[in-house]
Amino acid sequence: MQNPELKERRKSLRVRCSAGEPRANLLGVGISAISMTDAIYYTDRLLQSDMQAYVCVTGVHGVMEAQTDERFRSILNASFLTTPDGMPTVWVGHWQGHDKMARVSGPEYMLEMCQLSVERGYTNYLYGGKPGVAEELRDSLLARFPDLKIVGTYTPPFGPLDKDQELYLERQLARVQPDILWCGISTPKQERFMSQYCGKLPVKLMVGVGAAFDVHSGHSKDAPDWVKNAGMHWFLRMLREPHRLTGRYLKNNPRFLWLMCLQLIGLRRYLIMTPARTTARPQTDRPVPVLGQRAG
């Protein structure tokens, strides 16, 4: 039998697909043409409403994953925000006329939102990481933000949740009523999780931040700002994790450059499509108006 508290929580919230901001068109993936200030403003506004939504943090890896996975592309395009995680996405946005677009990476966005949570009293829940990482992340964030409200953690299994695990998570969330669920299970799993459970779980906002769990728990080191601003964060990550990342970057990055060149000079056309939905599940596709978009 469904938990009555969970049922009432779901009734009080409605799913929202977009913040209404313009999006840059990267090979048919709509990247929100925003800065960090914009991201915090839109997120704060959502959290003060009765809406539910999810936020994706997406760079070249996510854009290229979406080229061979139409369902994943729809998930990115149906988000409340899909932030520009990396300078290549920002540079393309500038080319398309979004001059104020700036990098909004997962680790930085998480810290800004933690500060906002302290100011507003928003509650946070940590979902993801290897065993023990979510608890280490909680301790690290509380050391930095002593008044931050972290109401729970959960380390999910490697694969999809089974019925018992899903029920356990629902009950935990219904009990603690978090405003924000931080999802750190890597791309594209975290985006699929958020899309599947947005509107089902009693939480206002889910945010997929991937590597932020390891960065802020101390398991990996973030890149210096000058490396990020030069668009070379991928290269530093490849040097640090060559066995895991070399194949990905050597395959994705040249292909991204080639396809983006074809799009920008008009030889390839992409239309951003997003599911129109009134519930958590997408039903029909409709085009999204995007400033600077090459459609067709």
Side-chain angles (χ1 to χ4, degrees), residues 11-48:
K11 281 184 180 179
S12 68
L13 298 171
R14 293 174 292 158
V15 174
R16 181 163 183 176
C17 293
S18 173
E21 84 302 342
R23 296 200 178 200
N25 184 346
L26 280 78
L27 310 181
V29 176
I31 303 295
S32 302
I34 57 174
S35 64
M36 182 66 76
T37 300
D38 297 325
I40 300 305
Y41 167 76
Y42 285 124
T43 308
D44 187 30
R45 192 172 66 178
L46 176 96
L47 290 169
Q48 294 185 52

Side-chain angles (χ1 to χ4, degrees), residues 191-234:
E191 289 81 8
R192 292 194 179 108
F193 171 87
M194 294 189 298
S195 176
Q196 179 180 353
Y197 289 101
C198 184
K200 293 182 176 181
L201 295 176
V203 56
K204 279 191 174 182
L205 179 68
M206 291 188 278
V207 186
V209 288
F213 272 54
D214 285 335
V215 168
H216 293 317
S217 65
H219 284 268
S220 66
K221 190 175 180 180
D222 203 5
D225 284 341
W226 70 267
V227 173
K228 296 178 185 177
N229 292 334
M232 295 299 291
H233 191 191
W234 66 272

Side-chain angles (χ1 to χ4, degrees), residues 23-24 27 76 91 105 125 131 141 146 171 254 263 265:
R23 296 200 178 200
L27 310 181
L76 295 177
W91 292 331
S105 71
Y125 191 96
L141 292 176
R171 287 175 174 172
Q263 180 187 349
I265 64 177

Side-chain angles (χ1 to χ4, degrees), residues 204-270:
K204 279 191 174 182
L205 179 68
M206 291 188 278
V207 186
V209 288
F213 272 54
D214 285 335
V215 168
H216 293 317
S217 65
H219 284 268
S220 66
K221 190 175 180 180
D222 203 5
D225 284 341
W226 70 267
V227 173
K228 296 178 185 177
N229 292 334
M232 295 299 291
H233 191 191
W234 66 272
F235 185 70
L236 181 59
R237 290 191 66 196
M238 186 175 70
L239 293 179
R240 290 173 175 173
E241 301 180 75
H243 297 295
R244 186 172 75 89
L245 297 178
T246 298
R248 176 202 295 180
Y249 289 137
L250 292 184
K251 175 185 176 182
N252 282 347
N253 290 11
R255 186 162 174 256
F256 172 79
L257 288 172
W258 172 248
L259 292 177
M260 277 308 318
C261 285
L262 293 179
Q263 180 187 349
L264 292 174
I265 64 177
L267 293 180
R268 292 284 292 268
R269 295 180 178 273
Y270 298 86

